[in-house]
Amino acid sequence: MRQLSLYTGMAFAAMVLLLPGCVSNKKYRSLQANYEEMRAKEQELNRRYQEAQQQLSSANTRVTSLEDQIASERANVKSLQEALNQCLTSSNQGNVNIAKLVDEINASNRYIQHLVNTKNKSDSLNMVLTNRLTRSLSREEMRDVDVQVLKGVVYISLSDNMLYKSGSYEISERAGETLSKIAKIIMDYSDYEVLVEGNTDNVPISQRNIRNNWDLSVLRGSSVVQALQNDYGVDPKRLTAAGRGEYNPIASNDTESGRTRNRRTQIIITPKLDQFMELIDKAPENGAATGSESTPSDTTAVSPIRQ
């Protein structure tokens, strides 16, 4: 994905304005140094964004793989059960080792239980996180905040009207209390990574030093990341700022209500990839998991708070 940056545009404009003879060489060199520094920051933001997107994609792939394994093992149990039934009803199969078939069925059931428990553990952690967050938000805040759990990932969507000053990427005073509550949840779940992703509608931006909606979306994501770090103490190593401009709409841009929904910033919370893989890859040893192993009573992902 091609990332554009505010910094490149600002530096380019400065270089055009500073024609030979208009400013001193010292000031020109200073501006040139600032330009190089902003380009380096742009490249670092792009790199961290790509890494976060790859981690998110890998986590979603692992969830799909887990569901496929569960379906495959259930089909295997059904096949083994049918084979056992044939052994019991057919006089020609008297010498079949029924005990071995029973052991295989039990082993498959234990592995299914392990896969289900692993998925339920991830779902339950996300449910606790989501419920804690929604309980902490006021009724007024919930009008501008949407919380969803999709494929093991928590999405917190914040409206631009609540977060930013009009037509700007600066955080508004109104957003402070809401961000502080989100930051507390993020800090309580230190094993989760956080991607902050800005999104816009398709109306072209007409503001000095912001070239287009790509720039605006990245700047808004970066503003939230810096607020989480500087104002609320979230470890910056867990944070990634990103922007998707107008290219990830959730509603039609043909209406004002649709454009309002598309102008949002998403805080995406995911388990760290290495820990998520470890949960899935640890198959139970013989006897380690049984049908009596406890499972969470509610395994359904949390539904969207607001459509």
Side-chain angles (χ1 to χ4, degrees), residues 47-174:
R47 182 188 66 78
R48 293 185 63 188
Y49 172 66
Q50 292 298 329
E51 289 178 355
Q53 287 293 88
Q54 290 172 2
Q55 290 182 355
L56 182 59
S57 176
S58 297
N60 287 336
T61 300
R62 297 295 296 179
V63 170
T64 301
S65 175
L66 176 59
E67 292 172 345
D68 290 343
Q69 289 181 55
I70 292 174
S72 176
E73 288 298 326
R74 283 178 172 157
N76 186 40
V77 168
K78 182 178 179 180
S79 177
L80 290 171
Q81 187 67 55
E82 290 174 352
L84 176 58
N85 291 338
Q86 290 178 3
C87 290
L88 294 173
T89 58
S90 175
S91 60
N92 296 326
Q93 299 296 324
N95 295 325
V96 173
N97 189 344
I98 296 176
K100 182 178 180 179
L101 285 174
V102 171
D103 289 341
E104 289 180 0
I105 291 173
N106 289 336
S108 293
N109 280 330
R110 285 194 296 271
Y111 190 55
I112 288 175
Q113 191 65 54
H114 165 74
L115 295 175
V116 170
N117 290 344
T118 299
K119 185 175 185 298
N120 288 345
K121 181 177 181 179
S122 176
D123 289 345
S124 296
L125 288 173
N126 287 335
M127 287 179 63
V128 172
L129 184 158
T130 303
N131 289 335
R132 285 187 59 189
L133 176 60
T134 53
R135 284 199 301 268
S136 70
L137 298 175
S138 67
R139 181 175 301 177
E140 180 179 0
E141 287 173 319
M142 288 305 300
R143 288 198 291 266
D144 295 305
V145 180
D146 183 32
V147 184
Q148 299 186 44
V149 178
L150 300 173
K151 294 185 177 180
V153 179
V154 178
Y155 292 82
I156 305 171
S157 185
L158 308 171
S159 70
D160 71 325
N161 292 333
M162 183 269 289
L163 268 182
Y164 310 107
K165 297 177 181 178
S166 178
S168 171
Y169 55 85
E170 295 183 18
I171 302 295
S172 68
E173 295 180 0
R174 176 188 173 197

Side-chain angles (χ1 to χ4, degrees), residues 158-216:
L158 308 171
S159 70
D160 71 325
N161 292 333
M162 183 269 289
L163 268 182
Y164 310 107
K165 297 177 181 178
S166 178
S168 171
Y169 55 85
E170 295 183 18
I171 302 295
S172 68
E173 295 180 0
R174 176 188 173 197
E177 184 175 353
T178 302
L179 283 180
S180 69
K181 295 174 182 178
I182 295 174
K184 184 179 186 307
I185 297 297
I186 291 173
M187 293 179 70
D188 288 343
Y189 288 81
S190 59
D191 291 335
Y192 283 60
E193 301 283 6
V194 180
L195 170 65
V196 182
E197 183 181 87
N199 294 267
T200 70
D201 58 27
N202 65 348
V203 178
I205 185 72
S206 58
Q207 185 171 332
R208 184 180 178 184
N209 298 328
I210 299 180
R211 290 173 298 181
N212 51 39
N213 285 331
W214 274 115
D215 278 358
L216 179 61

